[in-house]
Amino acid sequence: MSYLETTHDVYKEAALTPDVGLCCTTNPIWELPGLKIPKIMQEMNYGCGSTVHARDLTNNPKMLYVGVGGGMELLQFAYFNRQKGGVVGIDVVDEMLEASRKNFKEAEAQNPWFKSEFVDLKKGDAMHLPVEDNSIDVAAQNCLFNIFKADDLKKAIAEMYRVLKPHGRLVMSDPTCEQPMNEELRNDERLRALCLSGSLPIAEYVKALTDAGFGTIEIRARKPYRILDPKNYPTDELIYIESIEVAAIKDPMPEDGPCIFTGKAAIYYGDEDYFDDNAGHILLKNQPLAICDKTAGALQAIGRDDIYFSESTFHYDGGGCC
């Protein structure tokens, strides 16, 4: 049995018998006006963060969600669209698709504005999306891509890139891990399916996105996730796993490399009203400016003693230099 078959079986069982503690921490349940999330959707909430951000969802975007779970984030996406087929949900597990269809009927009963036809559920897998090229404004996946091994991850990201429109956004939440994992952990198919042993370091995760062509990367959140301890897992040391929320934007790749925002900022505190590096970056006095890592390096190389540079906070919420 391949690791993907094991993953299929794990989520088939999770569809048939909802398991609140299956693998992941609870996603935020957004308290949006007029939006009620059925309890069953919350119980089948198999994510490690949120991919629902209002600033991504203006002007009725066409949306894609891969790995539907119980349908909670699909319902949240539909809240911002409310058009027939405005949200496409794709899953390889028949039982999960059927559970979501049932859950949407419950959502209809609780939300007068919602119709099941707002979400178009399709059978398919992340490596072969049944979606046209350049047709999606916002694509999302939550706690899925970390399961994939390197070759499959590359295919899944390439598929997301293919279906997005120019300047479209791929919004993701996934576990990451900065510590090395031994081969026994990496090759444990069930632990991988449970979103534990496939976690990559953030730099590798980001590189997989930029290698696919995404010109802008935003790391929006980084937070504690799980612990693998020697008493319960095949490891000699305690392993700390975090989850991150990331947006990869299908911008053209800059000639000098991608813009990767990890939550750095620059503050100019010199004698003038502002500092202009003559490369497109103006720092107003005592006003923090969000900067990508590339710009941070370029500004630091100037060697001025009146600009302060923050470390990466791994929280970015828009604006800044690029």
Side-chain angles (χ1 to χ4, degrees):
M1 179 181 292
S2 73
Y3 83 98
L4 291 176
E5 290 173 319
T6 298
T7 301
H8 182 282
D9 291 346
V10 166
Y11 289 95
K12 174 182 177 180
E13 182 60 31
L16 296 173
T17 307
D19 182 355
V20 175
L22 173 68
C23 65
C24 306
T25 54
T26 302
N27 295 17
I29 310 297
W30 298 117
E31 297 293 338
L32 298 167
L35 172 63
K36 296 184 182 298
I37 307 293
K39 182 179 179 181
I40 184 62
M41 284 187 173
Q42 298 180 41
E43 292 175 350
M44 297 179 68
N45 175 18
Y46 305 136
C48 62
S50 179
T51 63
V52 183
H53 300 273
R55 69 176 180 272
D56 298 327
L57 304 175
T58 58
N59 300 318
N60 296 320
K62 179 76 172 183
M63 291 173 274
L64 168 69
Y65 194 88
V66 181
V68 300
M72 187 183 80
E73 290 200 310
L74 287 162
L75 175 63
Q76 292 174 338
F77 279 130
Y79 178 89
F80 292 92
N81 187 287
R82 306 191 186 193
Q83 298 181 31
K84 183 177 181 180
V87 183
V88 178
I90 293 175
D91 207 296
V92 73
V93 181
D94 290 320
E95 291 80 5
M96 197 66 80
L97 290 167
E98 184 56 34
S100 291
R101 290 189 181 96
K102 183 177 179 181
N103 293 348
F104 286 140
K105 293 299 182 183
E106 181 64 26
E108 280 187 338
Q110 295 186 28
N111 294 275
W113 60 268
F114 178 69
K115 297 179 181 180
S116 293
E117 67 180 21
F118 292 169
V119 181
D120 183 12
L121 292 175
K122 296 182 178 183
K123 175 76 173 286
D125 70 77
M127 278 77 80
H128 307 88
L129 295 174
V131 180
E132 294 180 359
D133 295 358
N134 305 307
S135 62
I136 299 296
D137 295 296
V138 179
Q141 65 84 20
N142 197 329
C143 215
L144 171 64
F145 281 10
N146 77 100
I147 295 173
F148 296 144
K149 294 184 178 180
D151 287 346
D152 290 333
L153 177 61
K154 183 177 180 179
K155 292 176 184 176
I157 294 174
E159 275 293 271
M160 288 291 210
Y161 188 88
R162 175 184 66 80
V163 303
L164 282 170
K165 297 176 183 178
H167 307 293
R169 295 169 179 258
L170 169 56
V171 187
M172 299 165 289
S173 179
D174 260 318
T176 61
C177 183
E178 299 303 311
Q179 296 168 254
M181 290 192 191
N182 61 49
E183 288 303 305
E184 186 173 359
L185 282 171
R186 289 293 189 196
N187 294 324
D188 188 310
E189 294 179 355
R190 183 168 178 82
L191 290 181
R192 185 174 281 272
L194 294 175
C195 303
L196 293 173
S197 65
S199 307
L200 296 174
I202 292 174
E204 290 186 28
Y205 190 93
V206 169
K207 187 176 186 301
L209 296 168
T210 58
D211 283 351
F214 288 100
T216 303
I217 308 294
E218 303 175 352
I219 298 182
R220 295 174 168 180
R222 178 181 180 180
K223 49 197 174 183
Y225 175 63
R226 295 287 285 276
I227 291 290
L228 303 183
D229 67 278
K231 291 183 179 180
N232 296 290
Y233 299 93
T235 175
D236 294 329
E237 63 175 350
L238 201 70
I239 296 177
Y240 172 56
I241 303 176
E242 299 171 294
S243 68
I244 59 171
E245 295 176 11
V246 178
I249 304 172
K250 193 175 177 178
D251 289 337
M253 183 65 68
E255 291 184 4
D256 57 351
C259 291
I260 301 170
F261 290 87
T262 61
K264 291 184 176 181
I267 304 176
Y268 169 65
Y269 56 94
D271 296 330
E272 305 298 328
D273 291 336
Y274 63 90
F275 168 73
D276 185 348
D277 71 348
N278 296 312
H281 311 109
I282 297 177
L283 281 67
L284 300 179
K285 188 173 182 177
N286 287 323
Q287 297 294 316
L289 179 72
I291 52 176
C292 72
D293 292 6
K294 180 176 61 180
T295 297
L299 288 172
Q300 286 173 317
I302 296 173
R304 294 186 65 106
D305 61 2
D306 53 6
I307 301 177
Y308 174 82
F309 298 93
S310 74
E311 298 294 328
S312 295
T313 63
F314 296 96
H315 173 78
Y316 175 76
D317 59 4
C321 73
C322 296

